[in-house]
Amino acid sequence: MAVYTEVTDDDLAAFMAAYDIGDVVSFKGIAEGVENSNYLLVTTRARFILTLYEKRVERGDLPFFLGLMEHLAGRGIECPLPVRGRDGEALRMLCGRPAALVTFLDGVSVRRPTARHCAALGQALAELHAAAEGFPIRRPNALSVAGWRPLAEAARGRSDAVLDGLDAEISAELDHLEAAFARLDLPGGVIHADLFPNNVLFLGERLSGLIDFYFACDDAFAYDVAICLNAWCFEPDLSFNVTKGRALLAAYHAARPLSGPEVDALPTLARGAAIRFLLTRLVDWLDTPPGALVKKLDPLEYLKKLRFHQQAGSAEAFGWRP
Amino acid sequence: MAVYTEVTDDDLAAFMAAYDIGDVVSFKGIAEGVENSNYLLVTTRARFILTLYEKRVERGDLPFFLGLMEHLAGRGIECPLPVRGRDGEALRMLCGRPAALVTFLDGVSVRRPTARHCAALGQALAELHAAAEGFPIRRPNALSVAGWRPLAEAARGRSDAVLDGLDAEISAELDHLEAAFARLDLPGGVIHADLFPNNVLFLGERLSGLIDFYFACDDAFAYDVAICLNAWCFEPDLSFNVTKGRALLAAYHAARPLSGPEVDALPTLARGAAIRFLLTRLVDWLDTPPGALVKKLDPLEYLKKLRFHQQAGSAEAFGWRP
């Protein structure tokens, strides 16, 4: 939620010379994204987001992220389109950092999604999965099941300070999930992997944009659905809203039918998604110094969601109707 | 440089109901201003800045600030115009804080102003001083000479950690300035008091906006000129650029002629302006915990500027030509 690198008017003028996008009308740092520096750039022709990739983004992944957005935008997905310069390149250096311009998308993030928002999200997610087909670059999901145990190790011995018994509860859950995930064999491809409400824009109830593809990777499509069930369908008191779950799942299914094995796997995948966000939030919580620029997110929110999923006997607990 | 208060889409929708300015198209927190939370709001009709006033802004001063912007904008000054709601009010509560919408101004802040920028600034400052005439609300300058000794006291005993001997140097300068300011009797009115390059917008070399009126107050007009000499006419190596000073002063004088006493007072006023920013930066420097959200500014930059002014025998040192 900050601008880490200051781009002066001179820096910007030199950068703009590489593009044919009109003259600068306005340029403001925006408080968006915890990983990168973002500026809203208005020119005489259009609005853009300028992103400077800070150190938490792996530079080798940038062709995947930018290429994916270009691939998706070319197939009708409402996502930022990387803008190529006069030299044909979308990625260049600015202030010592890799930087890219993308088109600006109208819309506002919804803090408390309704069932209609969840339905729109479900449909857009299915369309994203289908549209990504044929994208040639692969990026394994570093935050899938193989990545969870190392995160748990990083927090071991300290997580009991967050909640008594948390170490043991995480460890037991990982024992279960490692075995359960090993049995899964689900269709997959490119997933967004972080499609929280703050990464989805709406104009009223119309979904107008999907943003922040910097966790996108290859994984099971249904795992992306499970992430969204976690992120969109719990109420502020952390009760699961089955109406919202039904809306999300039905809309997804209408656009990209979920297979029997995918539906059967949803409780396992939902548990996996919950522990993934529990663990990354826990490590951030423990490692972030007080007063740092990064907004800390409560890891225990995902413990409560995990416990709900542990009680789910089937996808019907999420609102799925066969 | 941060958003302190998060405004959700629901908060925004409730706030927007008080206005007749179109429907929300986009809403993003911007990294601007160290005192308040600012959002860029785009509607189907226009662009606006939404400001939530955080605790460092005195609520009783808000009618002065908002009234002043409305007064100035009505007289042709390119500054934000507070937008009144359906009830005629420009100031209302949002998320527990006073909040106001103002019009958005195009333009980009210039990091390294040229002499042409300095001339444009000088003219705009003179026009601002003239346009503010007749504004009925008074606001004494809490950061003028009477306010400097208390700031020095707040840093006493700690400032030598910033630079050996700083305590004594500040104290001697204040002895001089308190006597010198007591002898001044200069024309005054509303001044901006913080017209640094980051508060001035340009489209190319055309000045397109003056922003951030939250230090505006009543004081000598020439003191505002002296603040701008400090803020606009030093090079990055802290040498004074007399060409820029001349451009600023000549353009100001052409739009609002400086009297003989004002010109004679410029070295004293420039010293005063330098110690004012030295002291506030010093206190912020000493009081801000490491890792805080606020960007710390180097107080010693203003010590070096002060030492230049101490050597100035007359306004000619700043480029003034009789």
Side-chain angles (χ1 to χ4, degrees):
Chain A
M1 302 282 283
V3 171
Y4 300 95
T5 303
E6 191 192 357
V7 178
T8 69
D9 56 315
D10 288 340
D11 299 328
L12 179 64
F15 185 82
M16 290 289 290
Y19 294 88
D20 181 26
I21 56 170
D23 298 322
V24 176
V25 169
S26 178
F27 183 64
K28 293 196 182 290
I30 58 177
E32 194 152 287
V34 294
E35 307 280 333
N36 301 315
S37 296
N38 289 292
Y39 289 86
L40 170 57
L41 170 66
V42 182
T43 77
T44 43
R45 294 212 206 132
R47 282 177 287 159
F48 304 89
I49 297 286
L50 168 65
T51 300
L52 283 78
Y53 298 99
E54 304 291 344
K55 60 178 192 288
R56 284 184 72 165
V57 174
E58 193 68 54
R59 294 180 184 204
D61 285 335
L62 291 172
F64 175 89
F65 299 137
L66 294 172
L68 176 61
M69 286 190 271
E70 187 170 73
H71 178 98
L72 293 173
R75 279 156 185 78
I77 300 297
E78 297 198 85
C79 71
L81 171 66
V83 179
R84 292 175 180 269
R86 299 177 199 275
D87 57 0
E89 296 296 325
L91 184 64
R92 68 192 73 243
M93 297 298 286
L94 175 59
C95 300
R97 285 151 182 80
L101 269 181
V102 301
T103 54
F104 182 93
L105 299 178
D106 284 341
V108 176
S109 294
V110 175
R111 170 72 166 254
R112 297 195 183 176
T114 63
R116 283 171 186 257
H117 292 124
C118 292
L121 179 275
Q123 180 183 335
L125 184 68
E127 290 169 352
L128 183 158
H129 290 164
E133 202 178 339
F135 179 62
I137 315 179
R138 300 269 74 82
R139 181 173 186 262
N141 187 0
L143 291 171
S144 186
V145 59
W148 300 336
R149 188 73 69 174
L151 286 170
E153 292 299 325
R156 180 184 295 283
R158 297 185 293 159
S159 47
D160 281 358
V162 176
L163 182 75
D164 196 44
L166 185 55
D167 255 357
E169 189 166 348
I170 289 170
S171 187
E173 178 67 14
L174 288 182
D175 290 344
H176 167 84
L177 286 175
E178 285 166 353
F181 268 69
R183 288 191 293 270
L184 297 179
D185 181 18
L186 301 173
V190 176
I191 69 167
H192 184 286
D194 195 39
L195 206 49
F196 279 60
N198 57 317
N199 289 331
V200 180
L201 303 174
F202 287 92
L203 287 167
E205 287 177 341
R206 184 176 81 76
L207 191 152
S208 59
L210 307 176
I211 61 173
D212 199 347
F213 284 77
Y214 301 107
F215 287 95
C217 56
D218 285 287
D219 208 332
F221 293 134
Y223 180 58
D224 225 7
V225 176
I227 289 171
C228 290
L229 288 171
N230 274 279
W232 288 76
C233 303
F234 284 89
E235 296 299 303
D237 67 359
L238 300 180
S239 64
F240 188 85
N241 185 321
V242 77
T243 304
K244 294 180 181 176
R246 179 173 301 137
L248 193 162
L249 291 169
Y252 184 96
H253 187 67
R256 179 190 162 266
L258 288 160
S259 68
E262 286 181 295
V263 172
D264 293 343
L266 277 178
T268 296
L269 297 171
R271 288 170 73 161
I275 200 108
R276 172 257 185 267
F277 289 101
L278 166 58
L279 287 169
T280 50
R281 288 185 177 196
L282 180 62
V283 170
D284 282 346
W285 188 273
L286 293 169
D287 290 352
T288 304
L293 286 165
V294 177
K295 184 178 169 187
K296 299 210 282 187
L297 298 167
D298 182 10
L300 297 183
E301 174 187 334
Y302 274 85
L303 181 66
K304 291 175 189 144
K305 292 179 177 179
L306 172 62
R307 288 174 177 170
F308 171 82
H309 302 318
Q310 288 170 336
Q311 303 304 315
S314 76
E316 289 179 50
F318 307 123
W320 173 258
R321 283 203 181 147
Chain B
M1 300 284 283
V3 171
Y4 301 94
T5 303
E6 192 191 357
V7 178
T8 69
D9 55 315
D10 288 340
D11 299 327
L12 179 63
F15 184 81
M16 290 290 289
Y19 294 87
D20 181 25
I21 55 170
D23 297 324
V24 176
V25 168
S26 179
F27 183 65
K28 293 198 182 289
I30 58 175
E32 194 152 289
V34 295
E35 307 279 333
N36 301 315
S37 297
N38 288 292
Y39 288 86
L40 170 57
L41 169 67
V42 182
T43 76
T44 44
R45 294 213 205 130
R47 282 177 287 160
F48 305 89
I49 298 286
L50 169 63
T51 301
L52 283 77
Y53 299 98
E54 304 289 346
K55 60 178 191 289
R56 282 182 73 166
V57 174
E58 193 68 52
R59 295 181 184 202
D61 285 336
L62 291 171
F64 175 89
F65 299 137
L66 295 171
L68 176 62
M69 286 189 273
E70 187 170 72
H71 179 96
L72 293 173
R75 279 154 186 78
I77 300 296
E78 297 198 86
C79 71
L81 172 65
V83 178
R84 292 175 178 269
R86 299 178 200 275
D87 58 1
E89 297 295 326
L91 183 65
R92 66 193 75 241
M93 297 299 286
L94 176 58
C95 300
R97 283 151 184 80
L101 269 180
V102 302
T103 54
F104 182 92
L105 298 179
D106 285 342
V108 176
S109 294
V110 175
R111 171 71 165 253
R112 296 195 183 177
T114 63
R116 284 173 187 256
H117 291 123
C118 291
L121 180 274
Q123 180 183 337
L125 184 68
E127 290 169 352
L128 184 157
H129 290 164
E133 202 178 340
F135 180 61
I137 314 179
R138 301 268 74 81
R139 182 173 183 261
N141 186 359
L143 291 171
S144 186
V145 59
W148 299 337
R149 188 74 68 171
L151 286 169
E153 291 300 323
R156 178 185 296 283
R158 296 186 293 161
S159 48
D160 282 358
V162 176
L163 182 74
D164 196 43
L166 186 56
D167 255 356
E169 189 167 349
I170 289 171
S171 186
E173 178 67 14
L174 288 182
D175 291 343
H176 168 82
L177 286 175
E178 285 166 354
F181 268 69
R183 288 191 293 270
L184 298 178
D185 182 18
L186 301 173
V190 176
I191 70 168
H192 184 286
D194 195 39
L195 205 49
F196 278 60
N198 59 317
N199 289 331
V200 180
L201 303 174
F202 286 92
L203 287 168
E205 287 178 339
R206 185 176 80 74
L207 191 152
S208 60
L210 307 176
I211 62 174
D212 200 346
F213 284 77
Y214 301 108
F215 285 96
C217 55
D218 285 287
D219 209 332
F221 293 134
Y223 181 59
D224 224 6
V225 176
I227 289 171
C228 289
L229 287 171
N230 274 279
W232 289 76
C233 302
F234 283 90
E235 296 299 302
D237 66 359
L238 299 181
S239 64
F240 188 84
N241 184 320
V242 75
T243 305
K244 294 180 181 176
R246 180 173 299 137
L248 193 161
L249 290 171
Y252 184 95
H253 187 65
R256 181 192 159 266
L258 288 160
S259 67
E262 287 181 295
V263 173
D264 293 342
L266 276 179
T268 297
L269 296 170
R271 287 169 73 160
I275 200 106
R276 172 257 185 268
F277 290 102
L278 166 57
L279 287 169
T280 50
R281 287 185 177 195
L282 180 62
V283 170
D284 282 347
W285 189 274
L286 294 169
D287 290 352
T288 304
L293 286 165
V294 176
K295 183 177 169 190
K296 297 211 281 187
L297 298 167
D298 182 9
L300 297 183
E301 176 187 334
Y302 274 85
L303 181 65
K304 291 175 189 144
K305 292 180 177 180
L306 172 63
R307 288 173 178 171
F308 171 81
H309 303 316
Q310 288 170 337
Q311 305 303 317
S314 74
E316 288 178 50
F318 306 125
W320 172 257
R321 282 200 181 150

